Amino acid sequence: MPRSDRLLKLIQFLRTRRRPVGGAQLADELGVSLRTIYRDIQTLIARGAPIEGQAGMGYVLRPGFTVPPLMFSSDEIEAMVLGSQMVARSADITLTKAARNALAKITAVLPSGRSDEADASGLLAGPISAAVESVDLAPIRSAIRVERKIWISYSDEAGVLTKRKIWPILLTFCATVRLLAAWCELREGYRQFRTDRIVAFAETGEAYPRCRHALVNEWREIAGLSEPQ
């Protein structure tokens, strides 16, 4: 295991413990010698990690410590690169730009010697042939965030157009389509709408009658979907 990954794992392990953890337990958890643990603890303290304790007494990480970007593991860096590529290929223009900007900010603060890992990643997202949207998804994503109802004009598979007031709760990005999960006031139930069939939409300014978290849980239960891990 690379030392940078081991230091991250050590920090993450301490973050999950409220009481001091002995050096021997840490050494067993990481599969290294006790001497290596002592050396890694001192390295983390020198880098600003608020670790308290000493050899023979155990170590504890003070609450509130946020792991800086330089502590990302190699696998995490590759996951972010792959994720940003997939977003860039499947999302709306605003989200695509945000993904690229976020990755640039992360790689900019990686320490010397690791900043090239993003460019050198051996993972690549393949082409995605999603249906062309008739409307901009950015305002719909905004409506989801602020929990506001919207009006949509929706064309079904047969081309029949209906106007509906919905409570948008989730956008699912699939390989060929994007699906908007929402409570539909017209049908008085949860529905999934293909976003390429939304002909037009308008904001209502009306808030959901219930919080989105509760609606999402209810939708998942009805759909028979498990909670994301």
Side-chain angles (χ1 to χ4, degrees), residues 41-52:
I41 289 290
Q42 293 306 312
T43 297
L44 289 171
I45 292 175
R47 292 184 181 182
I51 298 175
E52 297 178 346

Side-chain angles (χ1 to χ4, degrees), residues 82 85-86 89-90 123-129:
L82 182 61
Q85 290 176 357
M86 295 177 71
R89 293 172 187 264
S90 66
L123 306 182
L124 179 66
I128 297 175
S129 56

Side-chain angles (χ1 to χ4, degrees), residues 139-152 164-169 180-186 200-212 215:
I140 295 179
R141 290 191 288 102
S142 177
I144 293 174
R145 282 197 300 267
V146 299
E147 302 185 355
R148 292 294 185 268
K149 302 179 184 180
I150 61 174
W151 280 104
I152 63 170
R164 307 163 183 243
K165 183 186 288 187
I166 63 173
W167 316 345
I169 59 173
L180 176 62
W183 173 271
C184 177
E185 293 190 357
L186 176 66
F201 84 97
E203 300 174 352
T204 67
E206 299 177 45
Y208 300 166
R210 292 186 288 151
C211 71
R212 190 177 75 88
L215 295 173

